Structure formats: structure tokens, C-alpha cells
Amino acid sequence: MIILDARRMKAYEYLGELGKIAGKDEDFLDELWGEFLMNEELMFAFMHYLDEHSLSDNIKCEGYGLTDLYFYNMRRFEMKQDIGKNYADCDKEALVLDTFLLMARMIKAPEDYVRRLESGPGMDR
């Protein structure tokens, strides 16, 4: 007997849809889905995002939550694009997906990511 988790199946479908909207490739989406499967807390945080369209800070790594990482990613995007604070040009869904992957990677190697977060989003880092 096979028991299917409908919430996970729906999350997988939505990840594919968000990935397409955000212009993410299959490798990115496969890596992120693998991280969700390996980390139930991260999966539930993603499901929360899908339900509420807001990030949950219930998951933390070294004191940093998803909201912290989202704004870190936003600052990095601004630096790369040299657009200042023109948030309208920023793909929010892409930033959210990047944020979830950043959290997954940070959980695996917190010292590397804490150093980056504390040194700021400068171009030379």
C-alpha cells in the first residue's frame, strides 16, 4: 500500500509553477526540492509561504530567519543590478526561491553563510 502526501505533491507542483514564473532552471528546482525532502521544517516553511504568501521565521539558523535571508538576497540583487531601491524591477518569487535555497545551504554550512551575512552584500564578497 502506498500512501501519498497530498500537501507535498501540491508543494511540488507549486514549486514547478513558481520556478517557471521566476525563470529558474530544472537543476535549481531539483536541488531545492531535494532540500525540502531532506528538511521537514524547511518543507513546512515553504508550504506556509504557498498558503499565506509570506515567509515564516519559525525556522532559524544561527539566529537568522527566512525574512533576514530574503532581505540579504534583495540587497545582493540591488548591488548586482545597481538599481538602488527600485523594488518593482525585482522578481519577488525568484528572491523567495533563492531565499529557501540559501537557508538550506546555510543549515549545512552555517559558518560560511554567517560570515557572508555579517560582512554585507558587497560586490567583492
Side-chain angles (χ1 to χ4, degrees):
M1 179 162 126
I2 297 174
I3 299 174
L4 299 175
D5 184 343
R7 289 281 293 156
R8 289 178 191 260
M9 290 173 53
K10 202 60 153 170
Y12 180 76
E13 290 174 21
Y14 285 149
L15 177 61
E17 291 173 22
L18 285 177
K20 187 180 290 185
I21 291 167
K24 298 296 184 184
D25 64 25
E26 287 298 315
D27 291 337
F28 178 95
L29 297 174
D30 288 345
E31 181 181 357
L32 185 53
W33 182 249
E35 296 297 343
F36 289 152
L37 293 176
M38 298 299 290
N39 186 319
E40 193 169 286
E41 253 187 314
L42 200 59
M43 174 73 82
F44 288 137
F46 182 64
M47 289 177 182
H48 170 86
Y49 177 76
L50 297 176
D51 291 340
E52 305 295 328
H53 209 70
S54 67
L55 293 170
S56 167
D57 276 330
N58 289 341
I59 185 171
K60 300 258 187 201
C61 181
E62 301 294 321
Y64 292 96
L66 288 169
T67 303
D68 300 313
L69 299 183
Y70 178 84
F71 283 105
Y72 172 78
N73 277 337
M74 185 177 288
R75 287 189 308 267
R76 285 182 54 218
F77 173 82
E78 290 169 353
M79 294 291 290
K80 287 179 184 175
Q81 299 299 316
D82 195 27
I83 62 171
K85 296 189 184 294
N86 186 2
Y87 298 116
D89 291 343
C90 181
D91 183 341
K92 306 295 190 286
E93 300 299 348
L95 282 177
V96 166
L97 295 178
D98 290 341
T99 296
F100 277 104
L101 189 55
L102 177 58
M103 178 60 84
R105 290 174 176 169
M106 186 173 175
I107 290 168
K108 289 180 176 178
E111 59 283 344
D112 293 341
Y113 290 92
V114 168
R115 186 174 51 249
R116 291 179 195 176
L117 289 164
E118 291 176 355
S119 65
M123 293 292 287
D124 58 339
R125 292 176 176 77

